[in-house]
Amino acid sequence: MSEASLELKVEKTFAADIATVYAALTDPAMLQRWMAPGRLEVVEAVCQPVVGGQYRIVMHDPEDGSVVATSGTFEDVRPPVRLAHTWQWDGTSEVTRVCMDLVSLPDGGTLLTLTHSRFEDAARRISHGEGWEGCLQKLAALLDMRRI
């Protein structure tokens, strides 16, 4: 399987300025409000957005009580246009890479291009795609609430 087939790319436009979107990607209090898909809730968020800094997101499923966590190290940080970090689920050996590029739009909104790469297989890429879609829907709703 080619490397390109194991890469996930998601684009999402937000009705918020680039500084607000960047803050939502890096502020632990904001991450707790959107960085878990579906019914999952973030119960812990740590984010040190500097090269070599760490992040950790702990998610809880209120229906079955399960807990999952991901963590990694920031590799590229260019406020407010780029964040890139490793991504590793607790208890797994697979280390992937997430890159988030932000572009200001003429209407004052922001385009986010999220590229998640280095998956071991297509099933993991598909699963993460579903997860990111759910997270980004929550982020869009959160940013819409902040505009009111």
Side-chain angles (χ1 to χ4, degrees):
M1 191 167 290
S2 75
E3 189 172 311
S5 68
L6 296 178
E7 179 177 280
L8 166 70
K9 186 173 273 191
V10 179
E11 290 188 339
K12 183 87 172 163
T13 301
F14 298 100
D17 65 86
I18 195 168
T20 301
V21 176
Y22 187 84
L25 300 176
T26 57
D27 179 278
M30 294 282 285
L31 287 166
Q32 282 195 290
R33 299 182 63 193
W34 71 268
M35 189 62 177
R39 67 179 183 251
L40 298 180
E41 303 168 344
V42 177
V43 294
E44 178 187 339
V46 174
C47 187
Q48 303 163 326
V50 296
V51 173
Q54 304 292 303
Y55 82 90
R56 181 168 177 77
I57 305 292
V58 180
M59 295 168 249
H60 172 257
D61 185 329
E63 285 189 19
D64 67 16
S66 63
V67 175
V68 294
T70 183
S71 58
T73 303
F74 285 95
E75 299 177 327
D76 190 359
V77 179
R78 289 182 252 163
V81 298
R82 183 166 206 175
L83 286 169
H85 56 76
T86 59
W87 177 281
Q88 184 174 12
W89 291 103
D90 283 6
T92 68
S93 60
E94 181 183 52
V95 179
T96 57
R97 185 171 196 260
V98 174
C99 183
M100 293 179 268
D101 291 300
L102 301 171
V103 176
S104 289
L105 299 175
D107 66 0
T110 302
L111 172 65
L112 167 68
T113 302
L114 184 147
T115 307
H116 196 153
S117 58
R118 302 181 186 160
F119 291 107
E120 291 177 358
D121 57 52
R124 291 178 199 259
R125 177 183 50 81
I126 291 167
S127 173
H128 281 79
E130 293 167 356
W132 280 118
E133 287 292 342
C135 289
L136 295 177
Q137 287 174 6
K138 285 184 178 180
L139 177 56
L142 173 63
L143 293 172
D144 281 347
M145 285 179 11
R146 292 177 62 87
R147 290 185 316 134
I148 297 173

